Structure formats: structure tokens, C-alpha cells
Amino acid sequence: MPSGIPISCCFLLCLFTGALGGDPFVFYDWTVSYITASPLGVKQQVIGIEGQFPGPILNVTTNWNVVVNVKNNLDEPLLLTWNGIQHRKNSWQDGVSGTNCPIPAGWNWTYQFQVKDQIGSFFYFPSLSLQRAAGGYGGIIINNRDVIPVPFGTPDGDITIFISDWYTKSHKELRKDIESGVDLGAPDGVLLNGIGPYRYDETLVPDGIAYPTINVEPGKTYRLRVHNVGISTSLNFRIQNHNLLLVETEGSYTVQQNYTNMDIHVGQSYSFLVTMDQSASSDYYIVASSRFVNSSAWARATGVAILHYSNSQGPALGPLPDPPDGSDTYFSMNQARSIRWNVSAGAARPNPQGSFRYGDITVTEVYVILNRPAELIDGKWRTTLNGISYFTPSTPLKLAQQFNIPGVYKLDFPNRLMNERAKVDTSIINGTYRGFMEIIFQNNDTTVQSYHMDGYAFFVVGMDVGVWTENSRGTYNKWDGVARCTTQVFPGSWTAILVSLDNAGIWNLRAQNLNSWYLGQEAYVSVVNPEIREKTELPLPDNAIYCGVLSSLQKDQAQRVRFSDAPSVVYASRTVLAAFIIAFFGTFIR
């Protein structure tokens, strides 16, 4: 050992040298707080992250380790969930009420997870108490490793766009309305990147509202990652006079097809390549407008941004580009069916996406999950799946499972609609580890619903109008149905998915429409390896927050393990670590 180097420094050297051989780490330190914004020209309280609305982009690469210290400066408990991040073997980091105790107001908690074997476009958001209606969301980009080719040329730029319906009421007021059975009604507007619309119509858009402008160079091609982070409205996305070349959705490369517009339902994410091939005689409209609504009250539910070429000769002109027929479910359904998996492309691994031949796997479990509009159950408005409205226990399901606490939940979620009165219960799906589950979502509501499953990418194999039957399997796409984590179900229709249950943990299956989710339209899937659980699931994290019947285990905030001194963004790559070690120990050697 060189003279003058303390033993503690040798420990650090071993620690960091070990890190040199592993996957890189990236650290974020985020404060979540209320900030004042005027997205529709009226000052209101929104949820910002590091003072930003929308929040920062989490930009990482396949297999990186992500450490995010979250300080909750709201006046109510908080959890952030990472929409589409699979958290392999680590549902402890999922950030939903079934797996984590909320972060109390004034506290912080550090998430640590690996974006294992994933690529693509996702987003994060607050998962509790309708908070996403106030913001708190941001983008997630997972880039390919250098050794894995991307199935298209390198774009000249990468642009994230958030589209969302928006209400000037606070999320707390919206909660009260939903609990009282009051329909959300038409939103006050549609935002793009947290900003209101360009004044395309003086009768609909007040003067003085800030609007987003996306600056581009003529002849260049940009990757646009578009996320519907709204409450309950399906939105049609389009760019005046430009084609949208679809290349990826929620972690899967797709067969590359041009679209003039795309219906993006609540919770969904898409990547398009857009080439700036127009004359730039003027700017161009970027539009996100509401779908499947006919009432004149929805006329203002249109978001408009401006695409500005550097050589543009003037402002955008003329009417907005036309949307599809607002009542044409078949158009949107056929568009969704046309989105197919690029089975010849690699993604997180070098083998082609189509090397996993999902259509040849024997289904082991079938669930037909039917939803209904909100109804009164024991005097309260609730929504249900298969007649059960999910009740959130004070002790998270994952903690109850870890400590073998009886009575918190039951593994008895029915695989069909019950022939009894709807009820409120904590009933979860008992999934078989390495089983292959078929789930059919049957939508008995009058609006489009989106459903999401944490921990997995599932294969969307079929959708149609009417009632699903056993014969419907004859229409399934068993070769190149796209793998994603959020799918739409049209009113009076069904959507079928297949999912390989290879990720142990307890995973949230939910409506992405916030009003449906808030009133109970969710369930959890428990996937346990009964033989070697300690090898297929990561252990309870040292910094776990305890609540419910385990509250007595909770340490004071000052005693908890945390990462509050992490810099805003520090990329601890092999190069950076090596430089740190050389600089650190060089001071002692000198």
C-alpha cells in the first residue's frame, strides 16, 4: 500500500474499482414541489420537479443503474412510478401503493433500479391521489448500447413532446368531483409540453397564452417521442404537411410505416421520425386534439404548437390539418392493428425481437377482465374490474407478502365477471411464475379506456368490437403483434394481450384513465417463484419506508438510508470513475 493513503481510502478504491467492471450509474436529486404556472392563461398551482413543469428528462442507456433521490415538498404523500420500466426482479422500486409506502410530506426517498434489457421511450409520473392531473411527469429515454444497431439512421435531433388534456381545477378539486360522481366533462384545454395552444382560433383561444415552438433545420430528420400524459382523453397527434414515420412504441421497434396522424391514448408513448422536407413558406401547426367526442363543449380541447423552420418565411397559415372522423372507432382500431413488431430488428439484445416466438407458447392462464362505468357501492362511487373495486390497504401488498402478514389481501381475483353484487375488496391475481397469461379486456364503458401492466411488456394480439368469445382467438396476430405496456380498449369492444410471467414480484395492472383508476379500476398480479425466491427477486431495500401494521419498524427521517447529497446529475461512467480515482489518490501520492 502506498505510504500516506488511509485504510478508508483503500476501501473506496476497492469499491470504485469494482464499479469499473459493472454497468454505469447515473444519479439524480429531485425536489417535487408546487409551483405556479399559467398553461391556459390562468395562474394555478402545478406540480414541478426541480422547479420544472414538465419535469427533467431521465436519459440513460440499456443496463444503466439509476439512482433518484426524491424529496417530497408537497402537502400530501407522494410516489413516483416509472411507466414502462420493467424493474426486473425489483418491484420494490415500482412506486405504486401496492409495493411502496408513500413518501410522507417533507421526507425523501431514494429509488435505485436498473433499466435491464430495455430500450425506448417512456415517462414517469406521481401515482397517488390524482396528482398526475397537476403535473409531476417527465420523460424517460433508454438508448441502445453502442454494440446494438438501431434499425434507422441516427436522427439529427431528439425531441420529447408531452400531450395532455388539462383542467384549471386543482387535482384536489377534481378528486372531490370524481368521488361525488361528477363527470370530468370537457377539459379546459390541451397542453403540449405543459403549455397552452397557439392562437389558431381567436374565438376559442384567448389572447396572451404562451405556446410551444419547436425549432428545426430544413432537410434534417428528428426523432419525436410523444407521450399522452393526460387524465382521460384520447388525443390525435399530427403535424401540418408532414408525415410521421413510426419507428418505436414503449420499448419495441416497429415496422416502419408513415402516418399522417396517430391516435395516442392515455398513457401511451410513440417515437416518430419526421423529416423537415417542406418549403418553409410558413411555419407549420403541430396539433393534439380530442377524439371520440361530439359535444361542442369539446371544441377547445385542441392543443397547438408551432414547428418553426430556421428559414421560415412567416407564421403558420390556414386551418388546422383535419383530424379523423371523431366518431369513427373503426379508423382508430384499424390504425392500432396496423402497428406491428419489427421482428428482424434487435433491441436491448443483439438477437432479433422476433426470436421470442410468443405465438408458439401454450397459454396457461386466461383472464377475461370486464370494466363498467362508475357505480354506487355501499353509498360511494366506485369503478370495478370483474365486479371488484380495488381497496388500497394501509400496508402495501409487497410488504405484507415479505413479512407474511395475514389478512391484507386475498389471492382470489376472479378470471371472469362475478355473478354477484359488485364489491370493494383487496383481491389480487395469483400468477404462475413462468406461466403464459392471456388477458382479454372487455370494455363495457362508453369511453375509450387504456390499461397498463407494470413489470412487463405484453403482446397486443387482437382487438375488435363486440363481445369476446373463444372463437375470437382465430383473429389473433400470433407473429408480429407489438410488445408494449399500455393498450387501448374501445367502448363496446375488447382487446387481447399475451404476457410471459417471467418477472417475479407484485405488479400493478391498472386503468391509465385517472378517473377510472382513482375509483378502483386496478388489480395486482403476484408472481412468485416458490423454489428459489431469493434468486429471482431482489431483497427488501435498506431504506424501505414502513406503514400500516408495520409502522413500528419505521425509523426517523434522519436515521434512514438516503442519497440526499447526490449532485443534480452525475454520470458515474467507467471514465469518470477512473478520473475520480486518479485525482483522489493522486493528492495522497503527491
Side-chain angles (χ1 to χ4, degrees), residues 134 341 419 473 514 526 533 581:
W341 214 25
N419 291 321
R473 293 194 178 101
L514 291 188
S526 175
R533 179 173 167 184
I581 292 169

Side-chain angles (χ1 to χ4, degrees), residues 14 16 130 545:
C14 293
F16 282 103
L130 221 73
I545 298 177

Side-chain angles (χ1 to χ4, degrees), residues 40 164-167 185-192 197 200 204-205 233-236 238 287-291 293 295-304 320:
L40 293 175
S164 62
D165 53 2
W166 189 260
Y167 296 79
D188 296 300
V190 168
L191 308 186
L192 282 87
Y200 67 97
L204 293 175
V205 183
T233 305
S234 296
L235 296 170
N236 181 266
R238 54 201 185 274
V287 183
S289 60
S290 54
R291 290 282 279 135
V293 292
S295 169
S296 59
W298 285 78
R300 64 179 181 273
T302 300
V304 181
L320 300 182

Side-chain angles (χ1 to χ4, degrees), residues 150-153 245-248 253-259 273 340 342:
V150 178
F152 47 84
L245 180 65
L246 179 66
V247 294
E248 178 259 337
Y253 289 123
T254 63
V255 173
Q256 295 177 20
Q257 301 179 79
N258 272 310
Y259 295 86
L273 295 183
R340 295 178 295 130
N342 185 344

Side-chain angles (χ1 to χ4, degrees), residues 2-3 5 9 13 578-590:
S3 175
I5 300 181
C9 293
L13 177 61
F580 174 86
I581 292 169
I582 291 170
F584 186 88
F585 291 104
T587 61
F588 291 96
I589 294 171
R590 288 194 298 270

Side-chain angles (χ1 to χ4, degrees), residues 149-169:
V150 178
F152 47 84
T154 303
D156 297 296
D158 199 304
I159 299 168
T160 295
I161 299 177
F162 302 104
I163 60 177
S164 62
D165 53 2
W166 189 260
Y167 296 79
T168 54
K169 285 184 177 180

Side-chain angles (χ1 to χ4, degrees), residues 37 53 99 192 243 245 277 290 299 321 344 374 387 391 436 468 506 567 571 587:
F53 168 66
T99 54
L192 282 87
N243 285 324
L245 180 65
D277 55 6
S290 54
S344 63
F391 173 78
F436 198 58
W468 181 88
I506 289 183
Y571 166 39
T587 61

